[in-house]
Amino acid sequence: MTYFTTTDGLRLHFEDTESGQPLLCLPGLTRNTRDFDFLKPHITSCRMIAMDYRGRGQSEYADDFLTYSVPQEAQDVIALLDHLGLDKVTVLGTSRGGMIAMALAAGCPDRLAGVILNDVGPVIAPGGVERIMQYVGRAPSQKTLPEAAEALADVLGPQFPGLPDAVWHQIAAAQFAETETGLALRYDLRLRDALLAQAQAGPIPDLWPLFDALVSLPLVVLRGA
């Protein structure tokens, strides 16, 4: 396993194929590097780098859950680039990862060669936030990975028809770990507390200025609906 240390001393996990033009893959809010296992076989000409944010996947949890924020996670990305000695990368950001990419475009545009936004944009619908809060920080009711895989297939199968059972099991294993008492989440449960604290501090900031900061960069937007 490969790690780097953030400016405030956390050890964060990342993976790196080490060859080609660098493509930094940033996952969604509660997700981790395993999400990009499905993409990896198709990215043969790029140097594919993926990271677990603080408090997610194989990275250390923060003492202060308020650091589970887009600005801090953007700083952590810069720390990773500095660790790897990379001046510029193209960022593929899914959901939360796309928000971090936009923050980087506004604050550190010189570190970006291009951006791919997947399932995110400058408008965050209230319904989407409500759906997120329904599951963040709450362990699933299923007790085993096969049960979780079946539940995911039941809910998401109509949107992604034709996926074999093995893929649903791989998705479940990326999100949950089997324990003696049931399934555990692969992230710090206090991520929910961070979201609640940020909501209490005020409405979601206007993301259009961050999106507009991408104007000088090659940009792809993938609509995930």
Side-chain angles (χ1 to χ4, degrees):
M1 298 181 187
T2 312
Y3 295 88
F4 72 102
T5 302
T6 65
T7 55
D8 58 346
L10 286 184
R11 292 179 73 244
L12 304 190
H13 168 255
F14 72 97
E15 298 180 359
D16 183 1
T17 61
E18 299 182 349
S19 177
Q21 181 179 348
L23 175 68
L24 176 62
C25 299
L26 301 178
L29 174 69
T30 64
R31 310 297 280 265
N32 55 63
T33 55
R34 297 281 64 77
D35 274 4
F36 299 103
D37 288 347
F38 302 99
L39 179 66
K40 193 172 184 178
H42 306 283
I43 308 298
T44 56
S45 61
C46 291
R47 176 180 177 178
M48 185 170 167
I49 306 163
M51 67 176 288
D52 289 338
Y53 307 131
R54 55 179 58 214
R56 280 81 136 195
Q58 299 174 68
S59 290
E60 284 188 339
Y61 292 6
D63 291 333
D64 180 4
F65 65 78
L66 292 178
T67 65
Y68 299 146
S69 68
V70 169
Q72 178 61 61
E73 288 155 13
Q75 290 182 38
D76 293 343
V77 168
I78 296 300
L80 173 59
L81 300 188
D82 290 344
H83 172 78
L84 295 174
L86 294 173
D87 293 330
K88 290 178 180 283
V89 294
T90 297
V91 172
L92 165 58
T94 295
S95 192
R96 175 77 155 214
M99 295 177 68
I100 294 170
M102 288 188 280
L104 291 170
C108 306
D110 57 314
R111 306 303 296 268
L112 298 176
V115 170
I116 304 165
L117 299 179
N118 178 36
D119 196 23
V120 71
V123 177
I124 307 299
V129 176
E130 292 171 2
R131 285 193 297 275
I132 289 171
M133 294 309 299
Q134 289 175 2
Y135 70 80
V136 171
R138 294 172 176 168
S141 58
Q142 296 80 27
K143 300 301 181 184
T144 66
L145 286 177
E147 290 175 0
E150 184 177 354
L152 287 171
D154 288 342
V155 173
L156 299 176
Q159 298 176 54
F160 303 96
L163 290 183
D165 291 343
V167 171
W168 289 114
H169 190 279
Q170 187 175 352
I171 295 171
Q175 298 183 45
F176 312 117
E178 281 189 325
T179 72
E180 294 180 354
T181 57
L183 294 179
L185 299 172
R186 293 190 183 275
Y187 61 87
D188 188 346
L189 301 184
R190 298 177 305 155
L191 182 58
R192 181 180 184 83
D193 298 326
L195 295 178
L196 291 173
Q198 291 157 17
Q200 292 172 358
I204 297 173
D206 182 8
L207 299 182
W208 277 107
L210 304 187
F211 184 81
D212 290 343
L214 298 164
V215 66
S216 63
L217 294 168
L219 173 65
V220 174
V221 179
L222 302 176
R223 179 171 170 80

